[in-house]
Each structure stands twice: as C-alpha cells, then as structure tokens.
Amino acid sequence: MESARIDLLDRKIIQSLQLDPRAPFSRLATVLGSSEQTIARRYRRLVEARVVRVVAELNSQRISQRDWVVRLRCVPGSATMVATKVARDPDASWVQVVSGGTEIFAAVRSRHDNHGTPLLLEQLSLNRQVVDMRAYCLLREFTSGVSSPLGSNYLSSSEIDRLSSHHRAPRATDRTAAPLQDSDWPLIRALGKDGRMTFRQLADEIHWHESTVRRRVEELVLEGVLFFNVDLDNPVVGLNAPALLWMSVAPAKLAEVGDALAGHQQIPFAAATTGSTNMVAKVMCSDETALYQYLTQELASLDGILHVEVTLIMQTVKLYSMTTQMRSRVGTEHSRPHASTMSTSELLSVDTP
C-alpha cells in the first residue's frame, strides 16, 4: 500500500488507534464522523497491506521475567540475511538493520517457561558474518505502551479529547510479581496475533465464556501485565528517520531522564539497561532535519546525559507481531519454513560462502 493510497480517513484511523488501540469501530465511527462499516473496512485494508496492526504485549517485569535488546555487528553485505534468520525465532521482535546496514538491533523476549537467559541468546555466536554481539538486559521500561501519536497530527483537539477519555491506566513499572495462570496463555497468544479481537471472538477462539474473557482481559490490563501496542509501517505515516539512541546517563539522573523521554512525543520506547550504556530509546522523526532538531533541542535539554550514540534504522525485518521486509518485498516470507517447524540452531545457522 503506497503512501498515495492512504487518505485522510486512513490516517485518522491510524492516529486514533495510537490513542486507544482497542477502541470499538462504533466509537471510532462516532468520533471520526463516518460509518462503522467504513471504518471496519478501512482498518482491514490497512492490516492486509501491513500498514498497521494492533497487538497485545506482556510487561515481562510484572511476571518476574527478563527482556533483552541485542546488537549484532555484521560484515558488510550480510546484515539483512542474518536479520532474516534471527527474525524467524519466536523469541525475537523488532528485528531491524541499522548503522548503514552493518548492524542488527533485536529485542528478545523471555517466554513463560524461561525465567533465565532466553534460548536465542544462548544460541547466538560469532561467526564469519557476525563479528560482535552485545546483549543488554532491560532493567526498567519507562514508556507505557499507549503513548502520544507518532507522526503528523490529523485529528482535531476535540477528536483527541474524545478518544483520550478512554485511555487505560498506565502500565505498572514495579517488579512485584503479578499472578499469571497457565490458563491465561491461550488468551495472551490470541491477543498477540490480533489485539483488536472482540471479547466474543476471543471466547470463540479459546472456548471460554465471553464474560470470563472480558473479566480476565480487564484484570490483566489493570494489573499492568497486559498492554496493547500499534505496529506501524513508519514511512506510510511520514516517519522516515527512525533511530536508536544508546545513552550513558549519570546513575542519579537515570529515572529522571527516563521519565522525561517517556513524555516526548518522538519516543515510543525508552528503557534503562545493563551494559556499556545504561539507557536505550527509539526515536521516530519525519526526516533527518527533524531528528537533528530533536537531538539538539529536546534531548540536549535533559540534565544527566553524558554520552549519546545515534544509529539510524535502515530496514525493519520484523515488528512485534509481523515478519516483514521493505514493502516491495512483502510476501517473500510465505515461502520460507515456518519458525515452529525449525530448531533454534537451524534458524540461526548462517550460510557461509
């Protein structure tokens, strides 16, 4: 779906979902002044074109698990191949080629049966393509998962107010374990595939009563275990200069800087980490000029940042829920073996010349 085919109503739908990812089509129709059928049809078209998708995510810290981010430095010309193989692992998300095409960034999520180091990290090793690997454990995430809309503003202040009134409570940031039952996993997996499934659709999918589904989803959200996020094809919404910020922050200022970053419209993700730098953030800007302005104005105004390394995101291979390539290559992954049929070592084996 090329940008020229995304009209104002499509853009309003996308921005509305950034404000309230599970807003019913009926509410979106009322706020945006369109019919429910039109809104539903437009959303399905955007999903089918891989422009947008709403997914549920777990706050691993609330269930006493660990999340990691990984930097893989590759020899020139091999990063896309390595990234594609990493993306096939179910533990990996946000697999992106950065730094002019010589480095890979990936988030590695712990599974519910793995409370230590994820298997993917154990399998990664240096070889002829991967010449350096750095893993950073996320100590605290400062973003809530439901943040200010990214990109240009297409909604009126009245429309924003009407949608914002349905914001959910912020995601809990403490590490106190929250109850998560084995029976919750079918529900979580279903919402991980489609975060906008209705309670009735979820009930049919996992064979629960609809009222039970509604109650459990609301409990998990209120407990800070479950939140909803929006995967976007960034260029379609005018975000052509995404980048990663690797920051060294004075320990006494870490919480203050993290909270400040979470309040910036350009920052959808920020976390304190272990490693040679102690803060990582993703910044989304319309172009390099806007990125420069953000770095020299908003970021520069924060007290306590000692050093910043900026790496441009060149290509996204996998989002949280979608394996993707550049839009001209959409669909190529359907010919590959499904991840569930391959071992982790097979997924990560890199062909050598």
Side-chain angles (χ1 to χ4, degrees):
M1 181 175 287
E2 298 299 331
S3 298
R5 297 181 58 193
I6 305 295
D7 63 15
L8 180 59
L9 181 57
D10 293 323
R11 297 177 188 277
K12 284 190 170 188
I13 292 171
I14 291 171
Q15 187 175 354
S16 298
L17 293 175
Q18 290 177 302
L19 287 169
D20 189 352
R22 279 185 58 82
F25 290 130
S26 57
R27 183 187 305 152
L28 295 178
T30 299
V31 173
L32 301 181
S34 184
S35 70
E36 184 175 349
Q37 293 79 7
T38 297
I39 298 295
R41 184 177 68 253
R42 292 292 190 98
Y43 175 73
R44 286 192 293 268
R45 185 168 66 97
L46 292 169
V47 170
E48 290 169 0
R50 302 189 179 205
V51 171
V52 65
R53 183 182 295 270
V54 174
V55 295
E57 299 187 39
L58 286 174
N59 180 1
S60 298
Q61 293 183 351
R62 291 289 285 134
I63 53 177
S64 299
Q65 294 180 358
R66 296 172 182 165
D67 285 347
W68 301 73
V69 292
V70 181
R71 301 179 71 175
L72 302 174
R73 187 161 58 86
C74 303
V75 297
S78 64
T80 298
M81 177 180 63
V82 176
T84 300
K85 292 180 180 291
V86 172
R88 295 179 192 170
D89 191 282
D91 285 348
S93 62
W94 297 105
V95 181
Q96 296 171 314
V97 178
V98 302
S99 299
T102 60
E103 186 177 319
I104 297 165
F105 168 86
V108 182
R109 290 184 171 273
S110 302
R111 301 192 208 181
H112 65 283
D113 58 352
N114 186 353
H115 292 262
T117 303
L119 182 60
L120 175 58
L121 291 185
E122 297 176 1
Q123 293 288 340
L124 287 170
S125 61
L126 304 185
N127 52 48
R128 291 181 63 181
Q129 279 71 37
V130 180
V131 297
D132 185 51
M133 182 187 78
R134 300 180 186 182
Y136 303 76
C137 181
L138 303 188
L139 301 177
R140 176 169 177 176
E141 293 184 46
F142 293 94
T143 46
S144 67
V146 179
S147 58
S148 301
L150 300 168
S152 301
N153 185 15
Y154 299 100
L155 297 175
S156 68
S157 57
S158 174
E159 290 169 334
I160 292 174
D161 289 342
R162 294 168 71 184
L163 288 163
S164 299
S165 64
H166 294 274
H167 272 175
R168 290 165 177 77
R171 188 155 47 116
T173 56
D174 64 79
R175 295 190 63 92
T176 305
L180 190 62
Q181 306 163 8
D182 289 342
S183 58
D184 289 326
W185 287 101
L187 174 63
I188 292 168
R189 283 192 291 269
L191 287 170
K193 292 185 294 184
D194 182 0
R196 285 190 55 81
M197 290 181 71
T198 66
F199 295 124
R200 177 171 292 279
Q201 289 172 331
L202 287 167
D204 293 340
E205 173 87 7
I206 65 176
H207 309 295
W208 287 11
H209 193 278
E210 184 178 351
S211 62
T212 304
V213 170
R214 180 188 297 271
R215 182 178 66 253
R216 190 55 182 152
V217 170
E218 292 175 350
E219 288 174 349
L220 291 172
V221 170
L222 288 175
E223 290 167 354
V225 173
L226 191 69
F227 66 101
F228 295 91
N229 219 334
V230 180
D231 282 353
L232 284 177
D233 186 339
N234 294 323
V236 169
V237 294
L239 299 172
N240 296 300
L244 294 165
L245 307 178
W246 303 93
M247 292 168 280
S248 296
V249 180
K253 295 289 186 177
L254 200 57
E256 181 181 330
V257 170
D259 289 336
L261 290 171
H264 292 178
Q265 182 182 9
Q266 300 92 332
I267 303 291
F269 167 76
T273 72
T274 61
S276 56
T277 57
N278 58 2
M279 178 79 72
V280 61
K282 184 171 291 186
V283 56
M284 311 296 289
C285 295
S286 58
D287 54 29
E288 287 76 11
T289 299
L291 175 59
Y292 174 79
Q293 291 174 342
Y294 174 78
L295 295 174
T296 57
Q297 296 175 20
E298 292 184 73
L299 190 68
S301 68
L302 301 182
D303 184 29
I305 299 178
L306 308 175
H307 172 78
V308 180
E309 178 186 356
V310 183
T311 56
L312 283 176
I313 297 172
M314 311 302 295
Q315 180 183 3
T316 295
V317 179
K318 184 181 182 182
L319 301 177
Y320 180 77
S321 64
M322 296 187 291
T323 301
T324 182
Q325 291 284 353
M326 303 301 287
R327 277 173 290 164
S328 60
R329 301 176 62 187
V330 164
T332 57
E333 70 275 8
H334 295 302
S335 62
R336 305 180 188 131
H338 193 275
S340 62
T341 67
M342 304 176 69
S343 69
T344 304
S345 58
E346 290 174 323
L347 290 171
L348 298 177
S349 62
V350 180
D351 300 329
T352 58

